Amino acid sequence: MDNAELARLIESEHPYRGKALFELCDRVALDDDAATKVGMLSRLTSLRRARLFDRVSLAWSAIIALLAAETTHAREEAYAAFGALGPEEQRDMLDYLEVTKIEEAHPRIT
């Protein structure tokens, strides 16, 4: 599937939207279009409400993937997506990432 098809699955709240998001996240380090789409998709209310575990939502996992890609474009998308979160959610995410500001976060995805 191409990036646009994956994005449509995610936006339509398809039962496999999480799998589609992870597939798109796997592309962000090498594909600026994927990074842009992941950044935009992280703002969806449905992804912000969908929990992977505890406090971690699909939106957070998208932002973490953008940060972990360590490209200029992906990190810019991550900062913008983080900025779109509410203040409480920002504090929770910073706490989860164990940093005081988002620019300090350099998570690794293995």
Side-chain angles (χ1 to χ4, degrees), residues 6 13 16 19 29 35 45 51 90:
L6 290 169
E13 299 185 27
Y16 291 117
K19 184 176 170 90
T45 302
R51 296 284 176 242
Q90 286 181 0

Side-chain angles (χ1 to χ4, degrees), residues 63-74:
I63 295 168
I64 290 167
L66 289 166
L67 291 168
E70 293 290 350
T71 68
T72 301
H73 181 69

Side-chain angles (χ1 to χ4, degrees), residues 3-16:
N3 295 346
E5 292 170 318
L6 290 169
R8 278 192 293 278
L9 281 178
I10 297 162
E11 289 172 324
S12 70
E13 299 185 27
H14 189 277
Y16 291 117

Side-chain angles (χ1 to χ4, degrees), residues 90-105:
Q90 286 181 0
R91 281 191 302 274
D92 285 348
M93 188 170 185
L94 291 175
D95 181 56
Y96 175 77
L97 292 169
E98 299 179 347
V99 295
T100 57
K101 58 185 182 176
I102 195 65
E103 294 81 5
E104 297 171 348

Side-chain angles (χ1 to χ4, degrees), residues 30-72:
L30 302 174
D31 184 344
D32 284 349
D33 177 62
T36 299
K37 283 182 174 37
V38 168
M40 291 184 328
L41 292 164
S42 72
R43 293 165 172 82
L44 293 174
T45 302
S46 63
L47 294 188
R48 290 175 66 182
R49 289 186 180 151
R51 296 284 176 242
L52 291 174
F53 58 90
D54 193 29
R55 300 180 286 178
V56 179
S57 66
L58 284 175
W60 283 22
S61 69
I63 295 168
I64 290 167
L66 289 166
L67 291 168
E70 293 290 350
T71 68
T72 301

